[in-house]
Amino acid sequence: MRVLLLLCCAVAFGQKLPLATIPPGKVMMVIQPHHDDHTTDYGMGGLIAKITDAGYESWFVRSSNDEKDGAHGYPHNDMYNLRESEAGTKILGMKGVYSLNWRNDYMDAIPLQELRAQIILLIRKHKPDVVLGHDPWGHYDRNPDHRKVARALAEAVWMAGLANVHPEHLELGFEPHRVPHLFLKARVDYGRGHEANVAVELNESQVRRKEKAYVAHRNVYASPGMARSVKAQLQAEGLTVPEFAGKTDEEAAVMIEEWYMDWISRKRGAENGVKYAEVYWYRGEFDHLPGLTDYLKANVVTR
Amino acid sequence: MKVLILLLCAVLAQAKTVLVVTADAPDFVLAAGGTIASMAASGDRVVLVRVTNDDKDSWNLSAEETASRVKEEVERAAKVLGIAQVHSLGYRAGELGGVSPTEIRDRLLFYVRLVKPDVMLIPNPYAEYVEVLDRHYTGMAAEEARRIAALENHQPPFAQAGLATHVVKELYYYAQPFDPRRREAESTATFAPQPKVVDIASSLEKKLRASQALTTVNYSMAMRIRKRLDESGRRLPLLDVVNEESVRKLVEINVRKLAEIAAKDSGYKLAEEFLYAGPDYQVPAKLR
Ligand SMILES: [Zn+2]
């Protein structure tokens, strides 16, 4: 925790975050509300690609049905967004998508414990070494699904390790499993709350896959209309982008979105002394025992 | 003799009533046990309200057996700290998110009006990165209960049953050190609680013994550390044999280190950290 305190002071003074290493393990789960939360504007796509590159089997959980996201009406949005989620996560090397299919932006009606129970069951099934999700302590996230799923996740990752929590799961042959490593994400530019304590360095290929995974979501991103309005705005200011020459509006829109992913990855990289990066709040396997972390670090030995 | 009586009168005159609210068995001991022990040792009357029944966290014990054992252990720990009374509300652990916040608040309100504390110690619901959300829900409910205890239009039947309104003058928000910004003041020193570090050098021994009394959660903690290490091809020599002695040692390391973390930069060697709202919290300096 002292280390964490120092890290946070470091961030406040514009100093670099330590670079995270990928924890040893085999399975990762990304547990999120929405189809596109693997690669939204604040990251994750790069870290997912990096973890799958390290040989992990990985799974994406889409908790909502994403019916509000897109211009095709509720049932079609749900279908398109799920398919694009499958396509996007595949680009990142993930194995599959679970859709819990709760009603988008109306998840307050679900008892938190029911959502948590589903997540606990999936955690016990896959026994992930690493889980990625939204940071429930991030402030100013106006998205109710982010808050709700993050909160269910925050408890599920440790409660899944207690046999007295949903003992019925054990009848299926599953065992209690506490998730040892957690990477949480929120907008670092949203204000207090989310405290990034590590940066994850990305390579060129990981950033490119992150871009491709992001623009796989054509139902909501990279729309030709977005490119048209960008071009119109530039034209009004007497500017043009040479790269747009000969491109359709849709192709231009894809380029714009890819540049966005490239820009944010470079920006986080520059802030942390590397070419490309994403930043996270990381909780290691024994960080929930702040009085014991130093002792364990100093005294644990390999068998 | 006269001097002694005068001294005794002075001590009694200053003795306060303290109400400690906790979500679960280990939290109040680990985050505030030293301060509680010091208060009790100085003559304060301390009462504990424990919101959940701690039925989940154990090793190879049913929920029912766990709840029953932990209840006895908390009562033993409370006795070590000098706590006069323990009230267990019995909500199931990990399930406060499914309970009406108003219900928890009004259960706590009852005890605030019954005990009439001068001081309350409650879990800090704003402490970030505390993974046990029961502590958040309990803290929110306790904060509200403290406020409305003074307001006559809340729960009029309580007043009819003899529970009069009551103003709690001092409030300590406690949490184990997870929040990287826990030492930052929320605001200027008017109505907002301020960071406060309390020296616990003289009460650490009691805090340690109280913590060691929580044998069910301590054994569970030790076995879970060992399981994690086993699964990943590692070992901790201390836990090669998990028995009473090794668990007690593990708890001692934990309690001492937590006290050192809290003491950092404070001038004390062993401490606990709080956000504290004293009487200024209710009447700002400019109006005094
Ligand atoms: Zn989202």
Side-chain angles (χ1 to χ4, degrees), chain A:
Chain A
M1 186 44 62
R2 249 191 264 188
V3 176
L4 201 59
L5 255 177
L6 284 173
L7 294 180
C8 294
C9 297
V11 175
F13 292 105
Q15 287 168 15
K16 293 165 198 161
L17 294 168
L19 294 178
T21 49
I22 301 304
K26 297 191 188 86
V27 181
M28 165 178 63
M29 295 184 82
V30 182
I31 301 169
Q32 292 282 36
H34 304 127
H35 64 115
D36 58 340
D37 288 329
H38 57 79
T39 310
T40 41
D41 43 357
Y42 27 86
M44 280 214 165
L47 176 57
I48 295 170
K50 185 169 176 138
I51 292 176
T52 55
D53 284 354
Y56 271 72
E57 171 187 299
S58 58
W59 297 89
F60 187 72
V61 178
R62 177 186 86 145
S63 305
S64 88
N65 67 358
D66 291 306
E67 65 179 20
K68 311 289 190 302
D69 208 3
H72 292 92
Y74 290 175
H76 286 116
N77 284 336
D78 181 359
M79 271 169 34
Y80 291 150
N81 289 332
L82 179 56
R83 276 182 212 151
E84 289 173 359
S85 189
E86 286 160 351
T89 52
K90 204 168 178 183
I91 291 166
L92 297 171
M94 302 187 83
K95 200 159 181 190
V97 177
Y98 285 100
S99 177
L100 304 184
N101 219 249
W102 294 106
R103 193 173 171 215
N104 186 191
D105 285 349
Y106 280 77
M107 292 173 71
D108 277 333
I110 317 161
L112 195 68
Q113 279 152 251
E114 188 169 347
L115 179 58
R116 189 179 74 191
Q118 291 184 311
I119 298 173
I120 287 173
L121 183 65
L122 291 173
I123 287 174
R124 287 174 172 173
K125 177 169 187 251
H126 287 287
K127 297 173 96 66
D129 305 284
V130 177
V131 160
L132 274 56
H134 265 293
D135 184 344
W137 294 280
H139 296 191
Y140 304 104
D141 192 333
R142 345 29 190 155
N143 190 310
D145 293 349
H146 290 183
R147 289 198 298 266
K148 186 95 182 173
V149 175
R151 190 160 275 209
L153 176 69
E155 288 192 313
V157 289
W158 66 271
M159 290 184 77
L162 301 179
N164 286 336
V165 173
H166 293 290
E168 67 275 18
H169 294 171
L170 309 188
E171 299 297 323
L172 296 167
F174 297 148
E175 287 172 7
H177 175 76
R178 182 188 167 102
V179 178
H181 303 280
L182 195 58
F183 288 88
L184 299 181
K185 191 74 221 156
R187 297 269 303 234
V188 284
D189 53 345
Y190 268 11
R192 272 183 80 144
H194 179 61
E195 295 289 337
N197 58 8
V198 292
V200 175
E201 184 180 9
L202 306 175
N203 65 27
E204 195 72 31
S205 150
Q206 286 149 3
V207 176
R208 297 310 143 229
R209 274 175 280 160
K210 170 181 173 169
E211 291 171 358
K212 296 285 175 238
Y214 184 60
V215 296
H217 295 270
R218 297 297 169 85
N219 190 38
V220 295
Y221 301 127
S223 76
M226 181 271 282
R228 278 194 291 277
S229 69
V230 169
K231 284 180 187 171
Q233 180 62 34
L234 290 170
Q235 206 169 13
E237 295 175 33
L239 298 168
T240 56
V241 177
E243 283 86 346
F244 289 162
K247 295 276 193 292
T248 64
D249 287 336
E250 185 169 9
E251 287 164 343
V254 168
M255 285 173 79
I256 292 169
E257 302 284 29
E258 289 183 353
W259 289 337
Y260 181 24
M261 288 296 103
D262 183 78
W263 168 80
I264 189 72
S265 307
R266 279 179 195 275
K267 180 175 157 65
R268 296 289 175 245
E271 287 163 358
N272 294 289
V274 293
K275 188 170 179 190
Y276 301 112
E278 289 168 354
V279 298
Y280 294 88
W281 180 79
Y282 166 72
R283 192 215 64 202
E285 56 185 343
F286 297 119
D287 289 344
H288 62 293
L289 302 167
L292 291 174
T293 43
D294 286 355
Y295 175 75
L296 291 168
K297 246 174 234 157
N299 292 283
V300 165
V301 291
T302 48
R303 280 196 178 277

